[in-house]
C-alpha cells in the first residue's frame, strides 16, 4: 500500500488518519492512500511567496529557462519510473508517451523559447515603445514582471505528469512558485514526479509544493497576486471559480474544462480518397488513446450525409482491431479507465447519449469478465442531430463517440458550435475553401482548429495533441481559459504594467535602449570591444558619405536591380514617392555597413540578421548619409558568445532620418 505524501514547507507529509483509497485501474485493488493530512495552507502560501517566489525572482528569464531544461533532462533520464507507476492508472506504454514524455517535451520547449524569445534579464517587454509626446521625451512601454504570489494548479486525473509540467514550465519561467494539487486518483504518479524534481536539487526551496487530497482552506488565503488554474469538469470548475475569496480578491482563475470536440470530414473526402482514410485513422486514435479520457478526444464525428454508411463501416472495421486489456501487455492497444467509478460515470453518460443515438459498435457487457475498469470503444450514430441535445452536451469521458451527418458547410459549422465552445475541432479536407468557410463560422467557438489532408498528414501532430507552441483552451463550455501558446502562457503569471516616462527612465527600467535616451559615443569603436564591455546606449557616430549617381548606376549594374526608380529620371519623378532617381535602399544599407564596420578580426563574429527595417526618406544623387550605431540590447547565447542588438539609424545631410533597423551580431564575451 503506497502512502501518497504531500510536500509542504520543504518536507514530505504522510497521509492523515482518514485518507482516500486509490484503486488500480487494472485490478480494482487498493494500491495507495492519499490525503487527510492537516496541512497549514496559509503557511504553505507564505512559504511559496517568501522562499520560492523570492528566489525565482532573483533569477532572470534565461536562468529560469536553464533551470527548466535541467529539470526536464533530469526527469527524462528517470522517466521509466513514471512509466512503471502509470500502468496502474490504466495507461498503455503509448499513453505514457503523451503524459510523461509530452510533459517533459513541453518543459524543453519552454526552456528553449524562454532563451530565444525572452530577454536575458528581469523585465519582459510587451510590444515597442509608444511615442506619447511631440519631442520624443515622453514615451510609454508595456512591461511584464512576475506576480508576487503563488500559482495554485488544480489538475485532472487523466494526465498526472503532463498536467503538472505543462503548467509548471510557464509558471517558473515567469518567476512564480507553484502549489500543485493533482487529482487524487492518479496522485501517486504526480507525487513520484515531484520527488524526482525535489531530489534533483535544481529548483529553489518553495518553488514547488504538492497537496495530495483536498485543498482544505487554501482558497481562503489567496490574494490578488495569486493565480489559480483548474483543469477538470465543468461542475468543479463552477464551484471553484465562484469561491468567495477568489471573487473578493480578484484572483485570476483559468479553467480548462469539458469539451464536446468534433471532427469533420470534408465533402471532398469521399471513400477512396487519402482524406477519408486519414479521418478514420485520426478518429479511431482519438477514441482509444488514454481509453478516451482526453479533454481533446473526438466526441462527435461529423460526416456528409452520403458518407454516413461508408464511414460507419470503416470505423467499425478499424475499431474491431482495437485490443483492450492489461496495458502492461504490449499486444493491448487500449487500457482501462482510471477507476470503477469513472467507468460507471462513462456508462451513465453513454446511456444518456443512447436516448438520442443508436449504439452501432462496442458492447460494454463484453468486458464484464475483466476485473479492472475496462470498456470497449463505443460508437453511437445519431441520424437527427438537429433534434438532439444530449449528444451535443454530454461528455462521456471515455472511449465513446457519436457519428453525426451534416447537410452542407453551414450545417457542419452549426453542429460544431452546438458543443457550446470547445478546445479543438479537426477538419479533414483537401478543399481550402471549405476550410476557410468553416473557420469563419466555427472559429469563435473553438480554441484550436486542426486541418489535415494528404499534404500535411506526414507531419501533422494529431487532432488531440495540445502543443506547447499553440494555445490550448476554449471558450464557453470548455472553460474560457487559455494555456500554452508559447510565451503567451508565461504572461498569465506576470503583471502587465504600462510605464510612462522619459527615454532615460524607460531604458533604465527595461534594460534596453529607447530612442532618445542618453548615449555614450566617447568610447573605443564598439566592434573592438567584447560583449561584456558593451553597455546599453554605447554609440558610434560615423562620418558622412556622399551618394553619387555613379554609385547608384554601378550598384544597379552589379546587382541587376535596374528598377526604374534608380535608372529612369522621368519615370521615377512620376512616382508619388520619389523626387527623381534615388539610391537603392540596399545600397544605403551596404554603405551604412561600410561606414560603421571595423574591418579587423575582433569580438564581432557574425552578422545574423536585420529586424524592423524601414526606409523613411529617399536619398537622391548628391545627398550624403551618416550613421548612428547604438547598443540596444544584449543576450548571452552560448558559453562563448552572445547576441548584440544594435539600433542603426541613417541620417542625411539635413539630419533627417533616412532609414532605421535593428542589426543583430554575435559577439565574443
Ligand atoms: P474533476 O472531478 O472536476 O476534478 C478535477 C480536479 O479538481 C481534481 O484535482 C479534483 O481533486 C479537484 N477538485 C474537485 N473538487 C474540488 C474542490 N472542492 N476543491 C478543490 N479541488 C477540487 O475532474 P476529473 O474527473 O479529475 O477530470 C475529468 C474532467 O476533466 C473531464 O470533464 C475532462 O474533460 C476535464 N479535463 C479537461 C482538460 C482540459 O484541458 N480542458 C484536460 C483534462 C481533463 P480530487 O481528485 O481530489 O477530487
Amino acid at each position: 500500500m503506497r502512502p501518497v505524501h504531500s510536500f509542504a514547507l520543504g518536507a514530505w507529509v504522510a497521509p492523515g488518519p482518514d485518507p482516500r483509497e486509490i484503486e488500480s485501474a487494472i485490478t480494482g485493488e487498493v494500491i495507495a492512500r492519499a490525503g487527510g493530512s492537516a496541512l497549514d495552507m496559509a503557511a504553505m502560501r507564505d512559504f511559496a511567496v517568501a522562499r520560492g517566489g523570492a528566489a525565482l525572482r532573483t533569477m532572470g528569464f534565461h536562468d529560469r529557462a536553464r533551470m527548466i531544461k535541467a529539470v526536464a533532462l533530469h526527469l527524462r533520464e528517470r522517466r521509466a519510473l513514471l512509466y512503471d507507476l502509470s500502468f496502474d492508472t490504466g495507461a498503455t506504454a503509448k499513453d505514457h508517451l503523451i503524459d510523461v514524455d509530452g510533459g517533459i517535451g513541453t518543459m524543453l520547449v519552454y526552456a528553449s523559447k524562454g532563451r530565444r524569445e525572452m530577454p536575458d534579464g528581469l523585465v519582459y517587454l510587451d510590444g515597442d515603445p509608444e511615442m506619447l509626446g511631440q519631442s520624443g521625451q515622453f514615451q510609454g512601454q508595456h512591461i511584464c514582471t512576475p506576480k508576487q504570489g503563488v500559482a495554485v494548479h488544480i489538475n485532472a486525473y487523466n494526465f498526472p505528469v503532463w498536467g503538472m509540467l505543462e503548467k509548471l514550465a510557464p509558471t517558473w519561467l515567469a518567476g512564480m512558485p507553484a502549489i500543485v494539487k493533482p487529482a487524487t486518483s492518479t496522485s501517486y504518479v504526480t507525487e513520484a514526479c515531484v520527488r524526482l524534481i525535489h531530489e534533483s536539487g535544481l529548483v529553489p526551496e518553495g518553488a514547488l509544493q504538492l497537496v495530495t487530497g483536498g485543498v482544505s482552506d487554501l482558497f481562503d488565503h489567496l490574494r490578488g497576486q495569486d493565480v489559480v488554474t483548474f483543469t477538470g469538469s465543468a461542475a468543479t470548475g463552477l464551484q471553484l471559480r465562484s469561491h468567495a475569496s477568489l471573487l473578493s480578491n480578484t484572483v485570476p482563475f483559468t479553467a480548462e474544462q469539458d469539451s464536446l470536440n468534433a471532427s469533420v470530414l470534408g465533402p471532398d473526402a469521399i471513400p477512396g480518397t487519402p482524406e477519408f482514410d486519414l479521418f478514420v485513422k485520426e478518429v479511431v486514435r482519438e477514441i482509444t488513446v488514454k481509453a478516451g479520457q482526453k479533454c481533446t478526444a473526438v466526441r462527435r464525428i461529423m460526416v456528409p450525409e452520403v458518407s454516413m454508411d461508408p464511414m460507419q463501416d470503416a470505423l467499425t472495421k478499424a475499431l474491431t482491431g482495437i485490443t483492450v486489456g492489461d496495458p502492461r501487455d504490449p499486444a493491448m492497444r487500449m487500457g482501462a479507465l482510471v477507476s470503477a467509478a469513472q467507468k460507471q460515470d462513462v456508462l451513465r453518460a453513454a446511456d444518456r447519449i443512447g436516448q438520442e443515438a443508436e449504439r452501432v459498435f462496442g458492447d460494454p457487457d463484453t468486458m464484464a469478465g475483466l476485473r479492472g475498469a475496462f470498456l470497449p470503444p463505443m460508437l453511437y450514430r445519431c441520424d437527427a442531430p438537429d433534434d438532439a441535445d444530449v449528444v451535443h452536451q454530454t461528455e462521456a469521458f471515455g472511449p465513446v463517440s457519436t457519428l453525426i451527418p451534416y447537410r452542407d458547410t453551414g450545417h457542419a459549422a452549426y453542429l460544431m458550435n452546438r458543443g457550446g465552445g470547445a478546445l479543438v475541432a479537426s477538419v479533414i479536407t483537401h478543399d481550402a475553401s471549405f476550410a476557410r468557410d468553416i473557420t469563419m463560422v466555427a472559429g469563435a467557438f473553438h480554441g484550436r482548429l486542426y486541418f489535415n489532408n494528404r499534404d500535411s498528414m506526414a507531419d501533422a501532430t494529431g487532432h488531440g495533441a495540445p502543443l506547447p507552441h499553440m494555445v490550448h483552451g476554449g471558450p464557453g463550455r470548455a472553460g474560457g481559459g487559455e494555456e500554452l501558446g508559447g510565451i503567451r502562457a508565461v504572461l498569465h503569471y506576470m503583471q502587465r504594467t504600462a510605464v510612462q516616462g522619459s527615454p532615460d527612465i524607460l531604458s533604465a527600467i527595461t534594460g534596453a535602449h529607447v530612442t532618445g535616451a542618453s548615449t555614450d559615443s566617447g568610447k573605443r569603436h564598439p566592434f573592438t570591444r567584447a560583449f561584456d564591455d558593451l553597455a546599453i546606449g554605447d554609440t558610434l557616430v560615423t562620418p558622412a558619405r556622399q551618394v553619387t549617381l555613379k554609385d547608384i548606376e554601378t550598384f544597379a549594374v552589379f546587382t541587376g536591380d535596374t528598377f526604374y526608380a534608380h535608372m529612369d529620371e522621368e519615370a521615377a519623378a512620376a512616382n508619388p514617392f520619389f523626387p527623381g532617381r534615388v539610391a537603392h535602399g540596399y545600397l544605403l544599407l551596404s554603405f551604412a555597413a561600410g561606414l560603421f564596420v571595423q574591418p579587423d578580426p575582433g569580438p564581432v563574429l557574425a552578422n545574423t540578421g536585420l529586424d524592423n527595417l524601414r526606409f523613411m526618406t529617399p536619398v537622391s544623387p548628391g545627398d550624403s548619409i551618416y550613421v548612428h550605431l547604438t547598443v540596444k540590447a544584449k543576450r548571452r547565447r552560448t558559453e562563448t558568445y552572445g547576441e548584440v542588438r544594435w539600433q542603426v539609424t541613417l541620417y542625411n545631410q539635413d539630419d533627417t532620418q533616412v532609414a532605421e533597423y535593428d542589426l543583430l551580431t554575435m559577439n565574443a564575451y
Side-chain angles (χ1 to χ4, degrees):
M1 185 72 57
R2 193 185 172 93
V4 187
H5 289 63
S6 293
F7 186 59
L9 309 174
W12 290 98
V13 183
D18 189 19
R20 257 179 62 186
E21 293 188 332
I22 301 171
E23 69 192 62
S24 160
I26 309 169
T27 63
E29 285 163 12
V30 176
I31 53 166
R33 293 204 163 96
S37 43
L39 299 174
D40 183 342
M41 295 293 170
M44 284 180 74
R45 183 202 175 266
D46 292 347
F47 184 76
V49 172
R51 299 285 187 86
L56 287 167
R57 288 200 304 277
T58 62
M59 303 161 73
F61 294 107
H62 288 202
D63 299 327
R64 296 194 289 262
R66 277 187 281 269
M67 177 191 90
I68 291 165
K69 180 174 180 185
V71 170
L73 296 177
H74 179 85
L75 291 176
R76 193 156 74 181
E77 273 179 29
R78 293 156 183 83
R79 65 191 153 174
L81 180 112
L82 300 173
Y83 292 167
D84 205 37
L85 281 174
S86 298
F87 283 121
D88 264 317
T89 69
T92 62
K94 238 179 169 174
D95 296 337
H96 304 339
L97 296 181
I98 306 174
D99 187 34
V100 178
D101 295 68
I104 293 169
T106 299
M107 290 196 106
L108 289 171
V109 170
Y110 271 95
S112 154
K113 281 191 166 288
R115 298 210 44 217
R116 276 186 291 112
E117 298 175 29
M118 303 193 87
D120 189 5
L122 301 173
V123 176
Y124 179 76
L125 307 187
D126 179 5
D128 292 327
E130 298 279 349
M131 285 290 169
L132 302 177
Q134 295 276 323
S135 74
Q137 279 303 309
F138 187 68
Q139 299 187 32
Q141 168 75 56
H142 291 98
I143 64 163
C144 299
T145 53
K147 287 182 187 276
Q148 295 179 22
V150 65
V152 176
H153 296 312
I154 299 182
N155 291 328
Y157 73 82
N158 54 343
F159 289 115
V161 176
W162 178 84
M164 173 171 69
L165 299 184
E166 61 105 10
K167 291 183 172 102
L168 270 186
T171 304
W172 282 345
L173 191 51
M176 267 192 109
I179 296 176
V180 174
K181 186 254 174 291
T184 304
S185 52
T186 54
S187 56
Y188 52 97
V189 184
T190 313
E191 186 229 44
C193 188
V194 172
R195 281 187 188 276
L196 291 175
I197 295 173
H198 175 60
E199 284 159 16
S200 76
L202 292 163
V203 176
E205 191 173 55
L208 174 60
Q209 297 181 84
L210 176 73
V211 173
T212 53
V215 293
S216 173
D217 62 352
L218 174 61
F219 279 23
D220 292 337
H221 305 290
L222 298 181
R223 295 292 175 264
Q225 287 292 309
D226 301 319
V227 177
V228 176
T229 72
F230 167 76
T231 302
S233 62
T236 312
L238 177 62
Q239 187 191 346
L240 297 186
R241 74 163 75 236
S242 29
H243 192 284
S245 175
L246 300 196
L247 295 177
S248 61
N249 292 297
T250 54
V251 178
F253 182 89
T254 304
E256 302 292 336
Q257 297 175 175
D258 339 356
S259 185
L260 274 295
N261 312 297
S263 190
V264 180
L265 180 73
D268 56 304
I270 56 174
T273 59
E275 284 73 26
F276 187 91
D277 298 341
L278 173 63
F279 186 84
V280 173
K281 207 167 137 200
E282 291 248 10
V283 166
V284 168
R285 183 173 59 205
E286 291 305 321
I287 295 176
T288 55
V289 166
K290 289 287 294 181
Q293 301 163 105
K294 225 164 46 136
C295 54
T296 49
V298 172
R299 306 290 173 205
R300 297 175 301 150
I301 307 160
M302 299 181 184
V303 304
E305 282 169 342
V306 292
S307 292
M308 279 293 274
D309 290 336
M311 182 52 68
Q312 182 183 324
D313 292 346
L315 288 174
T316 301
K317 191 164 161 227
L319 290 170
T320 306
I322 301 293
T323 43
V324 181
D326 187 336
R328 285 196 178 88
D329 178 350
M332 295 301 145
R333 302 249 324 257
M334 192 170 99
L337 284 95
V338 74
S339 63
Q342 183 62 25
K343 177 175 166 176
Q344 289 313 316
D345 258 15
V346 172
L347 287 175
R348 274 192 296 273
D351 276 352
R352 286 201 298 282
I353 291 169
Q355 292 161 15
E356 293 178 347
E358 179 196 356
R359 195 177 71 221
V360 293
F361 184 84
D363 179 358
D365 289 342
T366 57
M367 299 280 147
L370 296 173
R371 283 170 69 207
F374 293 99
L375 277 179
M378 292 158 73
L379 181 66
Y380 283 79
R381 173 177 175 143
C382 172
D383 282 299
D386 292 328
D387 303 332
D389 198 30
V390 176
V391 159
H392 303 295
Q393 297 297 325
T394 304
E395 183 202 46
F397 202 59
V400 181
S401 198
T402 305
L403 186 59
I404 292 170
Y406 72 84
R407 291 187 296 278
D408 52 33
T409 309
H411 191 222
Y414 162 78
L415 292 173
M416 289 165 78
N417 294 352
R418 289 225 23 217
L423 297 171
V424 56
S426 52
V427 182
I428 308 299
T429 181
H430 200 236
D431 177 351
S433 62
F434 180 68
R436 187 199 55 224
D437 293 347
I438 286 279
T439 304
M440 289 305 116
V441 186
F445 284 73
H446 292 83
R448 180 162 63 91
L449 289 176
Y450 168 94
F451 296 97
N452 201 1
N453 60 28
R454 67 193 75 178
D455 301 331
S456 51
M457 63 187 185
D459 282 346
T461 45
H463 159 109
L467 301 176
H469 318 72
M470 309 303 291
V471 293
H472 173 59
R477 175 187 189 106
E482 198 179 279
E483 293 182 338
L484 301 176
I487 299 307
R488 289 173 188 85
V490 182
L491 304 187
H492 298 162
Y493 304 100
M494 306 185 84
Q495 177 60 42
R496 182 183 292 111
T497 305
V499 292
Q500 297 167 240
S502 71
D504 277 345
I505 297 284
L506 296 187
S507 290
I509 292 170
T510 60
H513 177 74
V514 173
T515 302
S518 305
T519 55
D520 182 353
S521 53
K523 297 180 184 162
R524 246 177 37 238
H525 192 293
F527 275 30
T528 64
R529 286 186 280 131
F531 181 90
D532 289 323
D533 294 333
L534 292 171
I536 303 299
D538 282 355
T539 296
L540 173 78
V541 181
T542 71
R545 164 182 188 142
Q546 194 179 50
V547 180
T548 66
L549 189 59
K550 186 153 179 280
D551 290 332
I552 296 170
E553 287 178 342
T554 305
F555 189 79
V557 172
F558 181 51
T559 61
D561 177 355
T562 52
F563 187 59
Y564 70 88
H566 315 303
M567 304 304 284
D568 181 335
E569 184 65 29
E570 201 179 325
N575 180 308
F577 285 90
F578 305 122
R581 292 174 74 175
V582 294
H584 305 67
Y586 300 123
L587 172 61
L588 300 177
L589 295 186
S590 304
F591 280 165
L595 288 168
F596 65 67
V597 156
Q598 209 287 339
D600 303 328
V604 178
L605 305 175
N607 165 358
T608 54
L610 304 181
D611 279 349
N612 309 321
L613 172 62
R614 287 286 173 281
F615 295 114
M616 292 125 127
T617 310
V619 170
S620 303
D623 287 352
S624 358
I625 58 164
Y626 68 97
V627 183
H628 279 206
L629 176 78
T630 301
V631 179
K632 184 174 180 183
K634 302 194 309 177
R635 66 169 75 203
R636 303 181 90 76
R637 289 292 294 266
T638 70
E639 294 299 310
T640 52
Y641 60 82
E643 180 187 88
V644 180
R645 179 174 287 268
W646 309 81
Q647 183 177 61
V648 185
T649 313
L650 277 62
Y651 296 92
N652 66 14
Q653 64 284 350
D654 302 322
D655 298 328
T656 302
Q657 278 192 24
V658 162
E660 189 173 57
Y661 54 97
D662 287 355
L663 166 73
L664 302 171
T665 59
M666 292 301 171
N667 289 37
Y669 294 142

